[in-house]
Structures are given as C-alpha cells and as structure tokens.
Amino acid sequence: MKRIVQSLRKALPVAVLVCVAGSGGVQAAEFESYKRYFEPLPALPPLPSNNSLTPEKVELGKMLFFEPRISASGVISCATCHNPALGWSDRIPRAVGHDGQVGERNTPTVLNSGFLEAQFWDGREPDLEGQALGPIQAEIEMAMELDDALDQLARFDVYQERFKEAFPGQADPLTAENVAKALASFQRTLNTPNSPFDRYLRGDDNAMTEQQKRGMAAFVGNGCIACHRGANFSDSRFHRFELPGSTDEGRFVVTGEERDRFAFRTPTLRNVAVTYPYFNNGSVDDLHDAVQLMGEQMLGRKLEQPVVDDIVAFLHALTGEMPRITFPSLP
Amino acid sequence: MKRIVQSLRKALPVAVLVCVAGSGGVQAAEFESYKRYFEPLPALPPLPSNNSLTPEKVELGKMLFFEPRISASGVISCATCHNPALGWSDRIPRAVGHDGQVGERNTPTVLNSGFLEAQFWDGREPDLEGQALGPIQAEIEMAMELDDALDQLARFDVYQERFKEAFPGQADPLTAENVAKALASFQRTLNTPNSPFDRYLRGDDNAMTEQQKRGMAAFVGNGCIACHRGANFSDSRFHRFELPGSTDEGRFVVTGEERDRFAFRTPTLRNVAVTYPYFNNGSVDDLHDAVQLMGEQMLGRKLEQPVVDDIVAFLHALTGEMPRITFPSLP
C-alpha cells in the first residue's frame, strides 16, 4: 500500500507536492493540473456482453428490488437496507435483516455499484448479477430459498408477463438467473451524475469551492487516490485495514489466504457524505474521523486538521444527483 | 345489522328491488337512480381545527413516514407495512414488525384513511393524530419509546429546521404531538381520486362497464351499502363478524362491552382490489370469497355467483389514482 502511494507521489508534478506540503495551499490556476487524475462519472457503467440493458429488464428489476414477498418474512426487500431515502443504504452501523438479526457488516450503497469490479465488502462476487441473489438467500437478510422466491413471483400473472417481456424467446423465463439479470440491470441505472466535482471536471470552475479544490489537491497529493481512483473512486481491489474493534477477517473468508486477512474491497467515495456510517462495521459516524483514520492506517501518518477539513469538503463535492425513483406498483 | 339492511331496503325504489331480485339485471337508464346512494371522493378529508394542512407539515410528515430510525431496529418505518408499492399496505395476512414478530391483525391501508372517523381495526383512536404514534411504540411493530424517537430526530439539524418551519412560533417544536400532527397531515394527502366509479358518478357513463354498473346496483340492492357507505365506503362504526379461525375479540378489547366482542370497524372498500388479503386477520385472499363471506355473515344469505361476480367487478371500479410519491431525502 505505502509503495503504491510512494510511486504515485513520484509521478506527481513537483510544484504540486511542494504546494500540498506547504501551508499556503495551491493557487487557483494550478488546480487545473489535478483534473488529469480524475474522470467524470459516465452515464452508465460497463455492460456485460450477456446482459444487455433494456427498459423491460430495468422496470422488472425495479419491481424485484422493491418486492418484499421474496423474503421469508414478507416485509424485507432489497430496498429495506438499500433504502432510496437513505442514500440507497441504511445509515445504521450493521445491516438488520430477517427476524431482526444484525449482520457483521455495514450495508454498502448500491449507487454507482455497476462501476465496481468486485461486489460485497469481501469481493466474493465479480459483478451485480453474481451479487443480486446473495441477500435474498442469506439467513440473516431475506432468508428465502431461491425456489420459494420464484414460486412467490410465479403466483402473479403480472410477473409472468414481465419476465416474458424482459427475456423474450425463452420458454420459461421466470428463473433465478433472470431475477439476477433484471436486478443487475436496474442497479446499473442507479448512478449519480453531475456532482459538483463532475461539473468542475467538465469545465465549470465555480462548481467547487476553493476549499473543495484544496481538498482535491490534498486527496491527490496525500495519495488517497492510490486506491480511491477511477470514475467511482475505487480500484475494486483489496487492502488490509485494522479497524479498531473489528474482528471481521474480510477477504480472508473468501480466499483463505493470509495476505487477505482483514482486507476489504475499496469502497466508492461517491456520495460518501450521505452514506455514513463508515467502514466494514459502520463504527465511524463522522467523515472527518473516517478521513483521519484512513490517513493513519493507509498512508501511515496523521493528517493535519486543516487538510482533513479540506478533504472532507472535497468529498462532499462527490454527492451527485440522486436517481429519481417513484414506487413501482407491485401485483 | 340486519335491521339496518332492512330499513335500507325499504327506502329503495321498488323498481330497483325488483330488478336486483330478478335475473335480468337493471336496464342502463335505471342505473342513474343509484347514483344518489353515493358520493365521489372529495379531494381532501375533513381537517381538524387544531391541525391545519400546510405544505411544511405534509413534507415533514412524509419524511417521518419513511424514517426507519424511529424504530428500535433502525430499519422499520411506517412505510414498511404501509408500503406505497403494495397499495400502502403489505399484502401479507398479518403485519410483521420488530424482530420479525407477527401481529394479530392485517395492516389496513392508509389510503383515504383521513375519511375514517375511527382508526385501527378496533377504532381505539378517533383520528390520524391519535393513530400516528401507536405503531412507533408498539412492541411488535417499531418498538421505540417516544422519547427515544424524538432523540433520534433531534440529532439532525434538518429535522430541527423542518419542525420549526412546520410549527412556527413554538419554542421547542420537536415534540411527539407534532410528530403525530405532521404524520397525520401527510396521510391526509394520500387519497385516490378519479376511480372509474368516481368518474361515473361525475357523469362519464362509460367509466364503468355494464357489469360494474350491475355490481353497483347489487351492492345497493343487497344492502352492502348499509355499512360501506359515504365517500370512503365505511360508516366508521363497529359490526360483529364471525371470521372462521379468528379469535380476535376486536372492539371488545377497547370497550370491554359484550356487544363489541368480535366487532370491527367497517373497513373502506376503496382500492379493495389492491389491498388484499382481507379481514382482520388477512385470512381471505380472494375478493370473491370475501364478498361471499360478507353476504353470509352480514346479510344472512348466500349470494348467487353472478351477483358476487358483479359486485367484485364493481369493487374493482373503486381503485383510484395512487398518490405519486417520490422518496424523501432523509438526513
């Protein structure tokens, strides 16, 4: 990790490093050079070759996302934890599922999740299709066998028709695979474009405040961008991290490899200001604390408070336009 | 109950009774006379003198309605059981609440609930203000002490401001009473105008099918309207009812009076086609079965199947325009 940061710092323009290290911050004109480290959020994430994005799939996926009757209790849907009113997450430390059971991990937002190349905190699925069926079956989440979930859906003519429309040409399209494809399609539309940062990158110099621009420079200069990079501010890779109080072994649970113990997939930083609390067990509420902790753990140093404040201001500029979703009408 | 029906039947035009009793149904022109038994749904229900309806209260009430952090688990909101995607109810037999506990009763829809003069199945509260705080505190629903709920809200500047805006001039507006007033205000906006039936009443003769018109006549002629009357198809009164398998004592639990044992407040029939399953324990899934059971229990006779079919068709004409609600953005 530190090596990544060091190599990155080598690549930075000298003037930038001097400015960031100094107390005066970066002059307005020089912010321009930072834009090349970033890219605005595309309208859509990459699409897999075997799951084209169609309006029919998206609409069906939306219904399934809000469908509580594919849970054992009949009241928990994807939207229970990935709540559109709460940044498509739940804003509690650890997820609460079937019969009030509390899981081990914080609910990640589904916003922009199509841009991630590894799903779940431990990356055990590579894509949204692989991710989609997990929470339905998990004993501590929706707790329903897939066959039972399909039986629930098959009771309704409306679902029979919608699956046929979304997957034309299939004799019996009401399958688990298609549930996953529809859910993944819907989620790929849940993106948050036009954040102040995106508008800044696209040429609106006034879209970010001076403090946010200083934060952007500090974000690059301090090496945060080593892992939080790309359109969704995540390398989709795994990094070891000692979170005080957490016993979660993270990626190790998936691979059994020692180097993965306590390693977690880099979370997106888009909309981070509205997707608190933070880290794998949601134990940190405040974004300043989260930034400071990252500085200590990942960068190996204590960031000065003004730098933390600037970075937090920058992170607030990553809050984009939320998808405008009306409730589906379920059968 | 039978006395109500009998007195109503006396009041009906002779021609109507003959027609309904006969097998030929009612001629088109004669349907006109039935309109006087009904009234279209008004745009808004009556407002209490101490809780004016303001945009600020409605918007705050909407936030609170979707706010899961005023539940002990942090994931159950009013909208969990009164789910906008499911006719503002849950479409399961009995409500599921805190820690997966299953309640004794079916969730009533909140649609048009401002038109009811008694809230809950047992009518233990007279209005929405009285109703609003019940589910937050109920151990099997949201399971949170009111003081804790207020503390949760007080953590957020946004709520502090919104309460001030909604209740101007109050030194400390973040109170349980105002939570109730805001929730009640939001719910008073959740009405479903312009159903086919309402459009028919307002003069569009083609808004209902011939079968639906026959069903309307049968609904009046058989006396369903004795209890299901007024704009919201409920007299807001209590009627004894022996539902097979139910041990719920209903209104008796509130009054302790023998005549109230197994009595329940007449539910609305508006949107009944989309608010299944039926009755106090949600044990009946099919609207035909529900109508037949009501005939036997409340009218004391077995309705012929074509009459049941006609009444069911009429009840489908009571599905109005659902409120178009986008998710609030919670702090």
mmCIF file of all heavy atoms in Angstrom, chain B residues 2 4 22 32 43 51-52 57 60 64 78 80 119 124 134 149 170 191 199 208-209 213 225 230 263 270 276 278 299:
data_model
loop_
_atom_site.group_PDB
_atom_site.id
_atom_site.type_symbol
_atom_site.label_atom_id
_atom_site.label_comp_id
_atom_site.label_asym_id
_atom_site.label_seq_id
_atom_site.Cartn_x
_atom_site.Cartn_y
_atom_site.Cartn_z
ATOM 1 N N LYS B 2 -78.834 -6.563 10.534
ATOM 2 C CA LYS B 2 -79.893 -6.902 9.570
ATOM 3 C C LYS B 2 -80.966 -5.832 9.546
ATOM 4 O O LYS B 2 -81.575 -5.572 8.519
ATOM 5 C CB LYS B 2 -80.513 -8.259 9.910
ATOM 6 C CG LYS B 2 -79.624 -9.405 9.440
ATOM 7 C CD LYS B 2 -80.257 -10.742 9.686
ATOM 8 C CE LYS B 2 -79.210 -11.835 9.568
ATOM 9 N NZ LYS B 2 -79.652 -13.082 10.174
ATOM 10 N N ILE B 4 -80.522 -2.672 9.883
ATOM 11 C CA ILE B 4 -80.050 -1.582 9.006
ATOM 12 C C ILE B 4 -80.350 -1.922 7.557
ATOM 13 O O ILE B 4 -80.876 -1.122 6.800
ATOM 14 C CB ILE B 4 -78.519 -1.363 9.154
ATOM 15 C CG1 ILE B 4 -78.180 -1.012 10.597
ATOM 16 C CG2 ILE B 4 -78.029 -0.292 8.192
ATOM 17 C CD1 ILE B 4 -76.693 -0.913 10.851
ATOM 18 N N GLY B 22 -84.571 -9.926 -9.630
ATOM 19 C CA GLY B 22 -84.738 -10.715 -10.849
ATOM 20 C C GLY B 22 -83.391 -11.099 -11.435
ATOM 21 O O GLY B 22 -82.348 -10.666 -10.970
ATOM 22 N N GLU B 32 -78.991 5.119 -13.327
ATOM 23 C CA GLU B 32 -78.917 6.523 -12.938
ATOM 24 C C GLU B 32 -79.406 6.736 -11.504
ATOM 25 O O GLU B 32 -78.805 7.486 -10.724
ATOM 26 C CB GLU B 32 -79.763 7.359 -13.916
ATOM 27 C CG GLU B 32 -79.504 8.842 -13.874
ATOM 28 C CD GLU B 32 -78.084 9.234 -14.255
ATOM 29 O OE1 GLU B 32 -77.410 8.485 -14.992
ATOM 30 O OE2 GLU B 32 -77.618 10.284 -13.779
ATOM 31 N N ALA B 43 -61.473 15.800 -2.685
ATOM 32 C CA ALA B 43 -60.024 15.953 -2.860
ATOM 33 C C ALA B 43 -59.276 15.764 -1.549
ATOM 34 O O ALA B 43 -58.179 15.215 -1.516
ATOM 35 C CB ALA B 43 -59.713 17.326 -3.454
ATOM 36 N N ASN B 51 -55.240 21.321 13.568
ATOM 37 C CA ASN B 51 -54.106 20.864 12.751
ATOM 38 C C ASN B 51 -54.360 21.220 11.289
ATOM 39 O O ASN B 51 -54.755 20.386 10.479
ATOM 40 C CB ASN B 51 -53.882 19.352 12.916
ATOM 41 C CG ASN B 51 -52.557 18.889 12.280
ATOM 42 O OD1 ASN B 51 -51.682 19.706 11.979
ATOM 43 N ND2 ASN B 51 -52.431 17.591 12.079
ATOM 44 N N SER B 52 -54.081 22.454 10.976
ATOM 45 C CA SER B 52 -54.252 22.913 9.599
ATOM 46 C C SER B 52 -53.292 22.157 8.682
ATOM 47 O O SER B 52 -52.227 21.718 9.109
ATOM 48 C CB SER B 52 -53.958 24.413 9.518
ATOM 49 O OG SER B 52 -52.620 24.645 9.958
ATOM 50 N N LYS B 57 -45.948 20.879 6.926
ATOM 51 C CA LYS B 57 -46.292 19.696 7.734
ATOM 52 C C LYS B 57 -46.344 18.440 6.879
ATOM 53 O O LYS B 57 -45.901 17.369 7.298
ATOM 54 C CB LYS B 57 -47.661 19.896 8.413
ATOM 55 C CG LYS B 57 -47.632 20.794 9.626
ATOM 56 C CD LYS B 57 -49.026 20.792 10.267
ATOM 57 C CE LYS B 57 -49.279 22.071 11.023
ATOM 58 N NZ LYS B 57 -50.704 22.254 11.329
ATOM 59 N N LEU B 60 -42.769 17.337 6.069
ATOM 60 C CA LEU B 60 -42.164 16.746 7.266
ATOM 61 C C LEU B 60 -42.797 15.389 7.572
ATOM 62 O O LEU B 60 -42.100 14.419 7.897
ATOM 63 C CB LEU B 60 -42.331 17.697 8.462
ATOM 64 C CG LEU B 60 -41.898 17.153 9.819
ATOM 65 C CD1 LEU B 60 -40.421 16.763 9.825
ATOM 66 C CD2 LEU B 60 -42.175 18.186 10.919
ATOM 67 N N LEU B 64 -41.074 11.679 8.018
ATOM 68 C CA LEU B 64 -41.251 10.829 9.195
ATOM 69 C C LEU B 64 -41.860 9.476 8.814
ATOM 70 O O LEU B 64 -41.541 8.444 9.405
ATOM 71 C CB LEU B 64 -42.144 11.533 10.221
ATOM 72 C CG LEU B 64 -41.562 12.826 10.795
ATOM 73 C CD1 LEU B 64 -42.613 13.543 11.645
ATOM 74 C CD2 LEU B 64 -40.313 12.531 11.631
ATOM 75 N N CYS B 78 -42.962 3.511 8.982
ATOM 76 C CA CYS B 78 -44.391 3.370 8.671
ATOM 77 C C CYS B 78 -44.559 2.688 7.311
ATOM 78 O O CYS B 78 -45.455 1.863 7.107
ATOM 79 C CB CYS B 78 -45.066 4.736 8.612
ATOM 80 S SG CYS B 78 -44.848 5.752 10.085
ATOM 81 N N THR B 80 -42.851 0.504 5.903
ATOM 82 C CA THR B 80 -42.555 -0.931 5.833
ATOM 83 C C THR B 80 -43.852 -1.723 5.694
ATOM 84 O O THR B 80 -43.967 -2.591 4.832
ATOM 85 C CB THR B 80 -41.789 -1.395 7.088
ATOM 86 O OG1 THR B 80 -40.575 -0.661 7.190
ATOM 87 C CG2 THR B 80 -41.498 -2.885 7.032
ATOM 88 N N GLN B 119 -60.001 5.017 13.884
ATOM 89 C CA GLN B 119 -58.765 4.435 13.363
ATOM 90 C C GLN B 119 -58.446 3.113 14.051
ATOM 91 O O GLN B 119 -58.865 2.874 15.178
ATOM 92 C CB GLN B 119 -57.608 5.421 13.547
ATOM 93 C CG GLN B 119 -57.796 6.749 12.818
ATOM 94 C CD GLN B 119 -57.785 6.615 11.305
ATOM 95 O OE1 GLN B 119 -57.184 5.722 10.743
ATOM 96 N NE2 GLN B 119 -58.492 7.530 10.631
ATOM 97 N N ARG B 124 -59.743 2.273 18.277
ATOM 98 C CA ARG B 124 -59.328 2.792 19.588
ATOM 99 C C ARG B 124 -58.833 4.232 19.537
ATOM 100 O O ARG B 124 -58.617 4.847 20.587
ATOM 101 C CB ARG B 124 -58.284 1.877 20.227
ATOM 102 C CG ARG B 124 -56.955 1.778 19.509
ATOM 103 C CD ARG B 124 -56.047 0.756 20.217
ATOM 104 N NE ARG B 124 -54.759 0.602 19.589
ATOM 105 C CZ ARG B 124 -54.505 -0.202 18.565
ATOM 106 N NH1 ARG B 124 -55.469 -0.909 18.018
ATOM 107 N NH2 ARG B 124 -53.284 -0.289 18.070
ATOM 108 N N GLY B 134 -49.059 5.260 17.686
ATOM 109 C CA GLY B 134 -49.249 3.891 18.165
ATOM 110 C C GLY B 134 -48.215 2.909 17.630
ATOM 111 O O GLY B 134 -47.492 2.267 18.414
ATOM 112 N N ALA B 149 -37.411 8.136 20.163
ATOM 113 C CA ALA B 149 -37.672 8.537 18.776
ATOM 114 C C ALA B 149 -37.368 10.019 18.594
ATOM 115 O O ALA B 149 -36.732 10.425 17.614
ATOM 116 C CB ALA B 149 -39.117 8.237 18.400
ATOM 117 N N GLN B 170 -43.264 28.055 17.867
ATOM 118 C CA GLN B 170 -43.109 27.200 19.046
ATOM 119 C C GLN B 170 -41.640 27.178 19.464
ATOM 120 O O GLN B 170 -40.750 27.038 18.632
ATOM 121 C CB GLN B 170 -43.586 25.776 18.756
ATOM 122 C CG GLN B 170 -45.077 25.682 18.446
ATOM 123 C CD GLN B 170 -45.552 24.240 18.308
ATOM 124 O OE1 GLN B 170 -44.884 23.310 18.723
ATOM 125 N NE2 GLN B 170 -46.722 24.072 17.701
ATOM 126 N N ASN B 191 -54.806 10.249 -0.889
ATOM 127 C CA ASN B 191 -56.155 9.904 -1.326
ATOM 128 C C ASN B 191 -56.122 9.436 -2.778
ATOM 129 O O ASN B 191 -55.167 9.691 -3.510
ATOM 130 C CB ASN B 191 -57.063 11.112 -1.142
ATOM 131 C CG ASN B 191 -56.967 11.635 0.281
ATOM 132 O OD1 ASN B 191 -57.107 10.881 1.235
ATOM 133 N ND2 ASN B 191 -56.670 12.924 0.436
ATOM 134 N N ARG B 199 -65.484 8.719 -11.615
ATOM 135 C CA ARG B 199 -65.711 9.345 -12.920
ATOM 136 C C ARG B 199 -67.135 9.071 -13.407
ATOM 137 O O ARG B 199 -67.780 9.936 -13.992
ATOM 138 C CB ARG B 199 -64.652 8.856 -13.926
ATOM 139 C CG ARG B 199 -63.273 9.476 -13.626
ATOM 140 C CD ARG B 199 -62.246 9.115 -14.690
ATOM 141 N NE ARG B 199 -61.649 7.821 -14.434
ATOM 142 C CZ ARG B 199 -61.636 6.810 -15.285
ATOM 143 N NH1 ARG B 199 -62.213 6.948 -16.475
ATOM 144 N NH2 ARG B 199 -61.071 5.674 -14.973
ATOM 145 N N MET B 208 -67.535 3.107 -16.151
ATOM 146 C CA MET B 208 -67.727 1.758 -15.598
ATOM 147 C C MET B 208 -68.317 0.847 -16.671
ATOM 148 O O MET B 208 -69.087 1.288 -17.526
ATOM 149 C CB MET B 208 -68.649 1.786 -14.377
ATOM 150 C CG MET B 208 -68.022 2.436 -13.145
ATOM 151 S SD MET B 208 -68.626 1.754 -11.578
ATOM 152 C CE MET B 208 -70.370 2.139 -11.635
ATOM 153 N N THR B 209 -67.978 -0.426 -16.603
ATOM 154 C CA THR B 209 -68.554 -1.401 -17.525
ATOM 155 C C THR B 209 -69.993 -1.710 -17.098
ATOM 156 O O THR B 209 -70.413 -1.373 -15.992
ATOM 157 C CB THR B 209 -67.753 -2.711 -17.509
ATOM 158 O OG1 THR B 209 -67.883 -3.292 -16.201
ATOM 159 C CG2 THR B 209 -66.276 -2.459 -17.798
ATOM 160 N N LYS B 213 -71.687 -1.680 -13.379
ATOM 161 C CA LYS B 213 -72.933 -0.990 -13.030
ATOM 162 C C LYS B 213 -73.923 -1.971 -12.386
ATOM 163 O O LYS B 213 -74.604 -1.636 -11.406
ATOM 164 C CB LYS B 213 -73.538 -0.343 -14.282
ATOM 165 C CG LYS B 213 -72.713 0.826 -14.809
ATOM 166 C CD LYS B 213 -73.264 1.358 -16.130
ATOM 167 C CE LYS B 213 -72.261 2.290 -16.802
ATOM 168 N NZ LYS B 213 -72.636 2.623 -18.187
ATOM 169 N N ILE B 225 -74.354 -1.469 1.226
ATOM 170 C CA ILE B 225 -74.176 -0.039 1.462
ATOM 171 C C ILE B 225 -74.622 0.394 2.854
ATOM 172 O O ILE B 225 -74.329 1.512 3.295
ATOM 173 C CB ILE B 225 -74.940 0.763 0.364
ATOM 174 C CG1 ILE B 225 -74.372 2.177 0.271
ATOM 175 C CG2 ILE B 225 -76.439 0.747 0.635
ATOM 176 C CD1 ILE B 225 -74.910 2.951 -0.905
ATOM 177 N N GLY B 230 -70.923 6.316 2.396
ATOM 178 C CA GLY B 230 -70.153 7.553 2.481
ATOM 179 C C GLY B 230 -69.027 7.546 1.465
ATOM 180 O O GLY B 230 -68.795 6.556 0.770
ATOM 181 N N ALA B 263 -66.396 -7.444 17.258
ATOM 182 C CA ALA B 263 -66.820 -6.351 16.372
ATOM 183 C C ALA B 263 -65.587 -5.598 15.859
ATOM 184 O O ALA B 263 -64.625 -5.365 16.600
ATOM 185 C CB ALA B 263 -67.743 -5.393 17.107
ATOM 186 N N ARG B 270 -62.656 1.348 -0.834
ATOM 187 C CA ARG B 270 -61.867 1.974 -1.899
ATOM 188 C C ARG B 270 -60.519 1.242 -2.014
ATOM 189 O O ARG B 270 -59.890 0.942 -1.008
ATOM 190 C CB ARG B 270 -61.659 3.456 -1.610
ATOM 191 C CG ARG B 270 -62.935 4.266 -1.885
ATOM 192 C CD ARG B 270 -62.678 5.757 -1.939
ATOM 193 N NE ARG B 270 -63.919 6.471 -2.277
ATOM 194 C CZ ARG B 270 -64.294 6.730 -3.529
ATOM 195 N NH1 ARG B 270 -63.535 6.362 -4.549
ATOM 196 N NH2 ARG B 270 -65.446 7.368 -3.761
ATOM 197 N N TYR B 276 -55.605 -6.578 -0.831
ATOM 198 C CA TYR B 276 -55.762 -7.922 -0.285
ATOM 199 C C TYR B 276 -54.591 -8.244 0.619
ATOM 200 O O TYR B 276 -53.555 -7.569 0.497
ATOM 201 C CB TYR B 276 -55.860 -8.938 -1.438
ATOM 202 C CG TYR B 276 -54.593 -9.083 -2.241
ATOM 203 C CD1 TYR B 276 -53.588 -9.985 -1.872
ATOM 204 C CD2 TYR B 276 -54.361 -8.277 -3.358
ATOM 205 C CE1 TYR B 276 -52.415 -10.086 -2.596
ATOM 206 C CE2 TYR B 276 -53.186 -8.387 -4.080
ATOM 207 C CZ TYR B 276 -52.226 -9.285 -3.692
ATOM 208 O OH TYR B 276 -51.053 -9.387 -4.396
ATOM 209 N N TYR B 278 -57.805 -10.052 2.996
ATOM 210 C CA TYR B 278 -58.923 -9.360 3.620
ATOM 211 C C TYR B 278 -59.231 -9.817 5.050
ATOM 212 O O TYR B 278 -58.860 -10.879 5.467
ATOM 213 C CB TYR B 278 -60.170 -9.541 2.745
ATOM 214 C CG TYR B 278 -59.896 -9.064 1.328
ATOM 215 C CD1 TYR B 278 -59.807 -9.958 0.275
ATOM 216 C CD2 TYR B 278 -59.652 -7.714 1.073
ATOM 217 C CE1 TYR B 278 -59.519 -9.517 -1.016
ATOM 218 C CE2 TYR B 278 -59.368 -7.272 -0.218
ATOM 219 C CZ TYR B 278 -59.304 -8.179 -1.248
ATOM 220 O OH TYR B 278 -59.007 -7.735 -2.503
ATOM 221 N N LEU B 299 -75.257 -10.141 5.772
ATOM 222 C CA LEU B 299 -76.568 -10.033 5.131
ATOM 223 C C LEU B 299 -77.406 -11.282 5.382
ATOM 224 O O LEU B 299 -78.597 -11.315 5.065
ATOM 225 C CB LEU B 299 -76.403 -9.813 3.618
ATOM 226 C CG LEU B 299 -75.470 -8.672 3.226
ATOM 227 C CD1 LEU B 299 -75.269 -8.631 1.712
ATOM 228 C CD2 LEU B 299 -76.014 -7.328 3.720
#
